[in-house]
Amino acid sequence: MRILLTVVLACLLLQSCAQPKVAGNQLNITVENNKKGAPITLGIPFPKGELNSVDHIRLLTSDGTEIPCQTTEVSTWGPIDDSIKWVWVFFFSEETTDYVLEYGAGVVPIVPKEKIVSANNMRPSGGIEVNTGAISFNIHKKGNGFLDEVFLDSDNDGEYTEQELIASSPRKHRGSFLDLLDDAGIDASKAIINEVFREKGSGPMHTIFRIEGTYTYSREDNNLSPFTIWLHAYAGKSYVKVLHTMTYTGIPDKHKQQEGEHANIATQNKKIISENTEDDKGWTQPNDQIAGIGLQLKYHLDENATVSMPLQEGSWKNDNAPSTMKEMGLDGSSIQLLQKGPAKKSPPTLRDVYLGQATKNSDGANKIDEEFQATVTHGTEEVAKSQRAKGWMNVTDGKRGIGVGIKNFMKEYPKGVKIDPVNHMLLGSIWPEENGPMSFARHNTEPDGGMLGNFAQGITKTTEFIYYFHDNNDDVAEKMDYVIESPVAHATPEWYANSKVYGNMAPASEEHPEFENALQYRYQWWAYNQKNEPWYGMFNYGDGKSYFFNGKWVQWTNNEPTVDFMLWTNFMRTGDPKYFNLAQAMSRHTMDVDNIHWPKKRTYYGEINDAIDFWDYADEPESTPYLGIGRRHANEHWYALLSAHVWIQGWIADYYLSADHRALEVAKMTGDTYIKRIWGEHDLRGRRLYLSVLNLVELYDATKLQKYKDELDERVHLMLEFQERQGGNLLLDRYGYSQTYVAQGLYKYQQITGNEDVRKALLKHARWVRDVPPLNHEMESYLATIYPLLLGYEISGERVYLDEALARAEVLKIGTLPKKPEAYESAASYSEDLLKISNLPMSKGRFTNWQTNQGLRVFGWTHAYNIPYLLYWMDKENID
């Protein structure tokens, strides 16, 4: 017996040595599309009361080995609870795709060995200096608008000499540029750096610099244009990630300017613009066009340099197509990689499609294979061609080199990378001048969304780059893919659901395929059409169209109703990285293109010692009152605005899940506009009130700023006051489809504040919609009540609410498609099969915009914000 005990004890000791001691709670993390060494930022939520400090988190590989990580507290469950709600975890991936996040009071993480050292001095002649341990770079406030000097520590001695200078900025403030073209010709911009800040999430392993600047012009008729660059530096690494946001501030066309405002967005009633100006041909005549946008560096390499770039084989539709490397020597002539796509065409209107008047090529559906072109030119000679390029170029002299890559190179066409050996310039083009100018003039003079306008002024666009400074390494392709095909990290779907950050939501499963397919088939249909229509282009990518009618897609969605959040929700429910990418593309599109960003008065920081600095700032022009409002769904993104057409819920999810700082920045711009109340009492009534509560509760939860809480409190109070005079209904009958705005906004408000009056109001509202279902928009409004009914059941425990929700959801059940999406050769045949398996009723007298073959607009009210919560209660109550 003593021998047996000795053997057992020895086995236990060996087992304890083989398995590291667990110091806290654990959750599994997966990195999809993993690439060893890739910089990963994981946004992860925690249930209320689960985690009290980000100092007690560490990261392990699947075999139990701890690796360094950097953690950031993003938000808490306050004001009702001080525990952590969202955390960012940064790390460099290992070969494994599986990791364990360990957390709890007893967890003490290891300290990273390599650390970034940076100095940020924004005095008038100051700037930033950064040392990652592999490269050193600086950006001067009086510099040239991008990286002014980059040194590569080739001898690994920790010192940087002039001989190790590998890149510098061009002169004449042209490190970055946005050039305009009008009748007077091209007006070349100059870049001025105003401020540099270190963003939240910065630390020893990963530091993020936000660089704010202005493009100036030589001609007085061209407005100043603000730009922002987010530069990500990594400890021990010689690459940087760069996100560049441009702002178009030009006059888009030559129509006769009227004094006043459009009725749809009027802040007064004295001077209202007439919409009857169809005879003004100036609407279709371009004025200020974008001639070219880009970032450029002067490279310091030997003359005998070579250039390489991959071109993908086969169809532009194949994201995973193999690549062929094109290699060329520099001999005095420029080398350029240029990606083009279908030319801008006049989109069909819903009226044209309904009447059968849409022309064959009006939506760009013909000859697409011929229009996607990736070309390599050497001087004026075309030396290689395919339909798509991967999106990067490398130049090396055999000892050192620089690689530059651009994310979504084809999907956000036109894009380009160019080497100029005469001036030693490396140019990454957001909009290549060789593509011809970008015009924002209208396609026609037909009113859209009840308006004849052009609101292109104030559009922005963010483009993502990677720059890799190296010692002639053969891993350039791998480093480029850190951004171009970036990995996606996530927890299990059950973790997101159980965190309750978005309420009682079920993870995806095969338990109820008739409901789950109703969600997944529509998202797959969206992804299919985004690729095959294709919904690509610099100012289009991420968005999609709303209505499929007579074989044509019409009207850009412009995010109604918070389409990007639907996609973020589906990513969390499934863990599928495809939906991460779709969601992020939609969030970035809608926060950039579908919003008004200019004229915007700059923020005053007081970094200048002289008091006159403030008075000079005070004299600057004020911002437009429309700053932060959204664009209405229309045939072009900049044709129409509306007083309640902006959704920030998905932007905040983007901020949480991917650490996208711009998302929160734009969300705060919208929140500040709510505080101004530019539309008076109109701003506090109807759909504007309901949507503002949903937006503000997300913004307050992310920022915990009292100014947003004060505005939110007052608006919630108004909603409850109006409920009393509406018989218990939280909504005006006119806006029955807005159920999700009201229910989600108030639910989250109650969740984070504990307000019992709101809890009672939600129950009262559930009782109202149970007994008096809204039908003002037919199924749009009727099916939107499913979620409020589920809240009624959650609050009261009365089964009648759940039974009614289940009864209304019967029409959402769907059959099984006979094929996978990729097996369909056309949208028409795909649409036909979707309709065959649908149980949704047809409209009584109009186009059925909620059918299974439509886009994601009405889908939000009928499916997306109902089914995940219905499945939660079906699982909890064991309902088949």
Side-chain angles (χ1 to χ4, degrees), residues 519-592:
L519 287 174
Q520 301 310 325
Y521 284 173
R522 189 72 69 92
Y523 293 131
Q524 292 166 8
W525 170 241
W526 171 273
Y528 176 92
N529 285 286
Q530 185 176 82
K531 174 176 287 189
N532 288 279
E533 278 302 304
W535 294 329
Y536 289 165
M538 177 171 164
F539 292 102
N540 293 338
Y541 180 61
D543 203 355
K545 297 200 174 181
S546 296
Y547 305 123
F548 190 67
F549 190 75
N550 285 349
K552 297 282 187 181
W553 281 100
V554 292
Q555 286 200 351
W556 291 108
T557 303
N558 289 3
N559 211 34
E560 184 180 27
T562 188
V563 170
D564 58 341
F565 185 63
M566 299 180 207
L567 295 166
W568 284 118
T569 298
N570 207 46
F571 164 66
M572 289 183 281
R573 293 188 67 245
T574 64
D576 189 336
K578 173 174 71 176
Y579 295 111
F580 178 99
N581 293 325
L582 286 170
Q584 186 172 71
M586 185 60 162
S587 285
R588 286 188 175 179
H589 166 84
T590 190
M591 72 177 73
D592 278 346

Side-chain angles (χ1 to χ4, degrees), residues 80-259:
I80 200 172
D81 190 282
D82 290 334
S83 61
I84 308 298
K85 191 171 191 178
W86 283 93
V87 171
W88 292 333
V89 180
F90 174 83
F91 60 99
F92 296 108
S93 68
E94 300 291 328
E95 288 191 7
T96 180
T97 62
D98 300 316
Y99 301 82
V100 175
L101 196 70
E102 192 171 271
Y103 65 94
V107 173
V108 179
I110 61 175
V111 177
K113 294 179 180 178
E114 296 179 304
K115 299 181 180 181
I116 298 170
V117 177
S118 64
N120 183 19
N121 189 331
M122 283 293 102
R123 66 182 184 272
S125 59
I128 65 170
E129 296 180 356
V130 183
N131 183 354
T132 71
I135 56 172
S136 173
F137 63 86
N138 53 57
I139 297 175
H140 302 306
K141 198 167 184 181
K142 290 186 176 181
N144 290 289
F146 188 37
L147 296 167
D148 285 300
E149 291 175 311
V150 182
F151 298 86
L152 176 66
D153 188 15
S154 296
D155 56 13
N156 297 311
D157 65 352
E159 302 292 333
Y160 297 95
T161 66
E162 286 301 317
Q163 288 70 36
E164 291 177 310
L165 179 70
I166 190 170
S168 60
S169 62
R171 296 179 179 179
K172 300 181 180 179
H173 301 282
R174 295 282 291 175
S176 69
F177 61 90
L178 193 171
D179 297 340
L180 295 178
L181 171 68
D182 57 21
D183 291 343
I186 292 179
D187 195 350
S189 64
K190 292 183 178 180
I192 307 299
I193 299 297
N194 301 324
E195 299 293 336
V196 181
F197 302 90
R198 280 176 279 204
E199 289 276 24
K200 176 184 282 192
S202 294
M205 298 175 64
H206 176 208
T207 300
I208 310 111
F209 298 92
R210 185 175 86 251
I211 303 153
E212 296 182 356
T214 303
Y215 294 124
T216 65
Y217 297 92
S218 60
R219 297 199 292 267
E220 291 185 359
D221 64 322
N222 287 324
N223 298 309
L224 301 178
S225 175
F227 69 90
T228 305
I229 294 173
W230 279 270
L231 194 151
H232 295 247
Y234 305 98
K237 311 302 180 183
S238 63
Y239 55 81
V240 294
K241 184 171 75 171
V242 176
L243 290 94
H244 174 277
T245 300
M246 53 75 64
T247 303
Y248 173 72
T249 61
I251 307 298
D253 59 50
K254 296 180 179 180
H255 81 272
K256 184 179 180 180
Q257 300 287 330
Q258 299 182 60
E259 188 178 359

Side-chain angles (χ1 to χ4, degrees), residues 78 86 154 214 236 280 407 412 433 440 492 558 586:
W86 283 93
S154 296
T214 303
D280 186 344
K407 191 177 182 69
E412 295 182 353
E433 184 176 335
F440 292 96
T492 63
N558 289 3
M586 185 60 162

